[in-house]
Amino acid sequence: MKHQLRKIVFPTAGLGTRFLPATKASPKEMLTIVDKPLIQYGVEEALAAGMDEIIMVTGRGKRAIEDHFDISAELEANLKAAGKEALYQEVSRVARMAEVIYVRQKQALGLGHAVSCAAHWVGDEPFGVVLADELIIAEKPVMQQLREVFEKTGRSVIGLMRVPMEMVSRYGVVAAVEENDLLRLTDMVEKPQPADAPSDLAIIGRYIFTPRLFELLEETKPGKGGEIQLTDAVARLAKEEPVYGVLIEGNRFDAGNPMGFLMANAELGARHPQFGGEFSNFLRNLLQNN
Ligand code: G1P
C-alpha cells in the first residue's frame, strides 16, 4: 500500500428522498447553502486537507454536479465582458479547483456499494470518503482532523460525534476503547435502536480507509434496509486491523433534510462576510415579531 493520501471519494448517487420534492429533478448535493452548493463545501474541505484527486460516484440525474465543476467557457466570457471580475474569478476558480473523475453507480444498492464503485480508481492506496450532505463548519477542516490521526497511525480513521441516545437510530454507532490517547473502534452497528446501540458515538460521514476495505466490501452482504452497508464492512475491517475514531470539532448540520438545511443556511448566512450583518438583523426582527 502506498502511504500518500491524495484520493477522496464522494458518494453522490443517493436519491435524496428526505428532501422531496426539492430533489425530484435536481441532485441534493446541489442544494445551496447561502451561495454555494453542498458538494462544493465538501470538495473544499477535502482540498484543504490535501486530498485533491476526487472520485465522484454519481447516478442518474446528477449531471448538474459535473457541470458545476466543469469549465463553462460561455459563462466565463460573458462575466468577463460584463466586467463582473469577482464573479468571473469565483466561477473560474470552482471549475479549476480539482481534478474530478466521475464513476457511475448503476444501481442504488447502498452506501457500501457506492464506495466500492470507486475501487478501480483508488487502487492500492489509502483514501478518504466524504458524505457531502453532512456539512461541518470547523476551524480546522474535519478531513484534516482525521488526516492527522491517519498520519500518526497509518490506519483507517472515522469521524464521530456524540448524539442524544434517542437519535442513534439515524446513524452508524460505534463501540470504542481508549488506546494510547486514541479511540480504537472495536465494533459498529448501522442505525441501531437505542437499546441495542453500543454507545452514543455516531458516525458523521467522514472517513479515511486503508484499501483493504474494498476487498471486504466485495464480500459484504446486504444489511440494514436490504442495502450493502459501509458500516458492516468497516466493522469487519476493525476486527482485522486497528480502526480509529476521532471525536470531531465543529458545527455539524445534516443538510440533506429540510431542518438541517435551514439551520446551516441560517448559521452560514449570519456569518457571511458580505451580507451576514444585514441577514442577522433580519433574523432578529423576525424572531421579535413572531
Ligand atoms: C450514512 C451511514 C451512517 C452514517 C450517516 C451519517 O447513513 O450509513 O453510518 O451515520 O451516513 O450521515 P445515511 O444517512 O446515508 O442513511
Side-chain angles (χ1 to χ4, degrees):
M1 175 181 92
K2 285 198 220 156
H3 211 78
Q4 65 185 15
L5 177 58
R6 300 282 302 273
K7 296 193 171 154
I8 180 101
V9 177
F10 286 86
T12 61
L15 296 176
T17 41
R18 292 182 304 154
F19 218 135
L20 283 168
T23 49
K24 185 177 171 211
S26 29
K28 73 171 167 183
E29 293 78 12
M30 292 303 291
L31 288 166
T32 306
I33 309 290
V34 188
D35 53 2
K36 291 191 288 197
L38 265 177
I39 188 71
Q40 190 179 330
Y41 287 91
V43 167
E44 287 176 350
E45 182 186 323
L47 293 178
M51 289 171 232
D52 57 359
E53 294 178 26
I54 294 173
I55 299 146
M56 214 60 85
V57 181
T58 66
R60 202 161 299 136
K62 302 282 182 170
R63 277 287 300 281
I65 300 175
E66 295 186 35
D67 289 344
H68 184 71
F69 292 106
D70 194 10
I71 294 174
S72 169
E74 196 186 341
L75 177 63
E76 290 183 14
N78 280 343
L79 291 172
K80 249 217 135 100
K84 297 184 173 162
E85 186 58 27
L87 282 178
Y88 166 77
Q89 290 296 344
E90 180 59 10
V91 162
S92 70
R93 180 184 74 86
V94 172
R96 292 163 180 82
M97 63 173 41
E99 274 309 316
V100 189
I101 291 175
Y102 296 91
V103 184
R104 192 93 166 187
Q105 184 189 16
K106 293 182 185 159
Q107 284 173 290
L109 299 179
L111 178 60
H113 176 253
V115 171
S116 73
C117 292
H120 175 77
W121 305 99
V122 173
D124 192 28
E125 293 182 28
F127 63 102
V129 175
V130 168
L131 306 187
D133 50 357
E134 296 277 2
L135 175 62
I136 310 173
I137 303 165
E139 221 152 274
K140 184 189 283 181
V142 173
M143 283 311 283
Q144 179 61 26
Q145 296 178 33
L146 267 62
R147 183 177 195 120
E148 286 171 8
V149 177
F150 171 79
E151 303 285 352
K152 242 188 259 167
T153 62
R155 301 295 189 173
S156 299
V157 186
I158 296 187
L160 302 171
M161 251 188 176
R162 290 194 188 282
V163 297
M165 263 336 256
E166 64 271 20
M167 308 272 264
V168 288
S169 61
R170 295 186 190 180
Y171 301 96
V173 181
V174 305
V177 291
E178 279 193 35
E179 192 185 273
N180 306 328
D181 281 343
L182 294 170
L183 271 184
R184 180 163 172 184
L185 307 186
T186 52
D187 200 5
M188 61 206 69
V189 193
E190 181 67 8
K191 304 198 174 87
Q193 287 308 307
D196 307 322
S199 73
D200 62 349
L201 292 169
I203 299 171
I204 44 78
R206 297 293 187 278
Y207 315 81
I208 291 171
F209 292 120
T210 58
R212 171 74 180 139
L213 181 83
F214 286 128
E215 289 161 350
L216 296 174
L217 277 171
E218 285 276 299
E219 299 162 9
T220 302
K221 304 261 176 308
K224 191 96 189 175
E227 297 190 341
I228 297 173
Q229 295 291 351
L230 181 59
T231 303
D232 293 346
V234 187
R236 283 192 55 201
L237 185 66
K239 305 269 183 246
E240 276 189 13
E241 58 180 54
V243 173
Y244 295 103
V246 175
L247 272 168
I248 61 116
E249 283 169 28
N251 272 1
R252 174 187 148 265
F253 299 94
D254 178 4
N257 76 58
M259 188 62 196
F261 169 82
L262 288 171
M263 293 195 296
N265 266 301
E267 166 131 1
L268 282 177
R271 286 178 185 216
H272 195 277
Q274 197 183 333
F275 35 75
E278 194 180 338
F279 183 62
S280 300
N281 285 338
F282 166 78
L283 283 180
R284 265 189 291 275
N285 283 338
L286 186 75
L287 293 176
Q288 268 163 18
N289 299 326
N290 280 289

